[in-house]
């Protein structure tokens, strides 16, 4: 029986493969997306389709197929090393990722990458088509799988299909550099719903459609756009993703975490703690942030010895040369700043280069006086929201880049900055340092209210019910 199932498709399955003493073992991941999707899978039979991660192919495939996640059945899409090079490292991360973050100079428009992208999207379509039927709801995630709707429709699949883009959508002057711009836009119109993080992304996308697909008619109404193309309807709207607020908020109030917060603060000997938490990615604006921090101690000399930055960086995409260069640049800047300003009793920057466990992360968020979240562009940025949810005593200040998607929701309580303006970031740090406790509380209260309300469960509910009710379906089924 396949009726009415929910099929989620993403590049990665919500698991990782680890090598144990007796061969590969499967570890479930516990990200916000997985938590948010559990209730959806409770209501209906569910499948999650994706690549399971590196490991010995056949063994991993058997392991995943035989695993029973309590919420849904996992279905692996097996990819060869060649697929991963061309599709994942190549097209997804050397073309779409930089281009969609407005960094066209970092793109490598190698035509072989496109071939791999097409072929892997087809592989995903073949696997999805095996479990999809007319009553299924298919929810495709992110920039790796923009062609999936087209290939599924090509196989005669008429179920409701939605696509959500987790990263930004670039302005038309940047998107137009993409050699495959028309094919990608056309393919997206085979979905019934296209969701973006922010209204800015939605606007950019619509400008691109007007420029490159003049035959598509667009009607705007109340925040959503109804696009008609060849008699088929696609609805376009923004659905800003949230976090599991309660998870952070509840953990932050537990005595062990409170004790750890006190310990961290103690270790810092009364200095204000500035926290930065990022994947090591050039979009997160790390070198820019460090230069602004350096500028701070030259402009605001009184802040020397009064503040320390705790910068936590999780390694990412280490097989891509640009990411290795970024690691070197970041570490060089950190040692330069520590060498230039530090002394035996004070380290300006504490650098942690590894993944930190959730309880420790919440304690660090809770102990911080200031969060410095300055991506040069970000679809949403969950760190800005996690910081607010962990600030149970409401005294932290959030300094947030104007170019993070979350700035659209958090602009009332955060101090917004242009991350390229080192002077302005240094000014914001000084402002936050000097901010009195009433203003801090007032701002943080607003932020927490917003993050609590627009949580990940609401996001998931909004998208799923919108997709299920999408009237595009009747046009397609005709
Ligand atoms: P990411 O680019 O991965 O996500 P982000 O939204 O900041 O960016 O999420 C990063 C996650 O990794 C956070 O949950 C954070 O806690 C965690 N993390 C970072 N450093 C860590 C460390 N050292 N140890 C442990 N955990 C760490 C993409 C888009 C974003 C969008 C999300 C969700 O690029 O714009 O917000 O998807 O849609």
């Amino acid at each position: 029986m396949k009726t009415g199932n929910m099929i989620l498709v993403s590049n990665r399955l919500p698991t990782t493969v680890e090598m144990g003493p007796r061969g590969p073992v499967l570890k479930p991941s516990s990200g916000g997306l997985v938590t948010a999707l559990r209730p959806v899978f409770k209501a209906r039979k569910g499948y999650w389709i994706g690549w399971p991660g590196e490991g010995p192919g056949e063994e991993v495939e058997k392991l995943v197929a035989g695993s029973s996640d309590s919420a849904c059945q996992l279905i692996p899409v097996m990819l060869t090393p060649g697929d991963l090079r061309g599709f994942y490292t190549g097209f997804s991360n050397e073309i779409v990722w930089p281009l969609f973050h407005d960094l066209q100079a970092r793109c490598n428009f190698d035509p072989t990458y496109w071939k791999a992208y097409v072929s892997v999207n087809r592989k995903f379509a073949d696997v999805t088509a095996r479990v999809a039927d007319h009553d299924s709801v298919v929810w495709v995630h992110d920039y790796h799988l923009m062609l999936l709707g087209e290939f599924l429709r090509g196989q005669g699949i008429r179920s409701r299909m939605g696509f959500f883009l987790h990263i930004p959508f670039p302005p038309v002057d940047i998107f137009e550099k993409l050699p495959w711009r028309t094919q990608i836009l056309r393919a997206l119109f085979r979905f019934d719903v296209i969701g973006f993080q922010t209204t800015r992304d939605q606007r950019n996308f619509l400008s691109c459609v007007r420029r490159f697909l003049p035959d598509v008619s667009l009607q705007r109404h109340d925040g959503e756009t109804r696009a008609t193309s060849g008699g088929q309807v696609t609805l376009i709207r923004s659905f800003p993703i949230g976090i599991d607020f309660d998870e952070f908020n509840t953990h932050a109030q537990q005595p062990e975490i409170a004790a750890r917060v006190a310990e961290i603060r103690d270790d810092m000997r009364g200095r204000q703690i500035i926290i930065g938490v990022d994947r090591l990615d050039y979009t997160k604006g790390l070198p820019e942030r460090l230069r602004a921090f350096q500028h701070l101690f030259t402009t605001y000399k009184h802040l020397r010895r009064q503040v320390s930055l705790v910068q936590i960086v999780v390694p990412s995409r280490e097989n891509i040369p640009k990411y290795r260069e970024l690691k070197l640049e970041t570490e060089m800047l950190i040692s330069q700043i520590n060498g230039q300003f530090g002394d035996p009793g004070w380290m300006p920057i504490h650098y942690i280069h590894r993944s930190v466990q959730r309880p420790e992360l919440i304690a660090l968020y809770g102990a911080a006086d200031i969060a410095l979240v300055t991506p040069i562009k970000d679809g949403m940025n969950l760190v800005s929201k996690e910081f607010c949810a962990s600030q149970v005593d409401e005294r932290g200040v959030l300094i947030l880049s104007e170019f993070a998607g979350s700035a659209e929701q958090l602009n009332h309580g955060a101090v917004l900055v242009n991350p390229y303006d080192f002077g302005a970031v240094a000014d914001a740090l000084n402002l936050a340092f000097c901010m009195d406790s009433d203003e801090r509380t007032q701002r943080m209260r607003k932020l927490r209210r917003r993050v609590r309300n627009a949580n990940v469960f609401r996001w998931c509910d909004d998208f799923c019910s919108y997709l299920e009710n999408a009237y595009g379906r009747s046009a397609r089924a005709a």
Side-chain angles (χ1 to χ4, degrees), residues 398-425:
L398 173 63
I399 299 180
L400 180 61
S401 161
E402 296 166 15
F403 310 129
S406 57
E408 218 173 70
Q409 291 175 300
L410 305 181
N411 55 351
H412 292 302
V415 177
L416 293 189
V417 290
N418 171 356
Y420 293 102
D421 187 344
F422 306 151
V425 175

Side-chain angles (χ1 to χ4, degrees), residues 166 197 279 284 312 314 354 356 378-382 386:
H166 288 258
Q197 297 272 28
R279 244 182 348 94
K284 303 295 180 186
I312 308 171
V314 65
R354 58 177 180 270
V356 170
D378 218 332
M380 178 54 57
N381 191 289
L382 300 180
E386 293 169 0

Side-chain angles (χ1 to χ4, degrees), residues 77-91:
V77 178
M78 300 312 290
L79 301 179
T80 63
D83 287 338
L84 288 168
R85 247 189 330 273
F87 152 78
Y88 179 70
T89 308
F91 199 82

Side-chain angles (χ1 to χ4, degrees), residues 290 326-336 351 353:
L290 293 168
L326 175 69
K327 180 167 183 276
L328 285 180
E329 188 186 359
T330 304
E331 293 179 349
M332 199 126 82
L333 274 165
I334 291 174
S335 75
Q336 219 174 63
Y351 173 56
H353 178 252

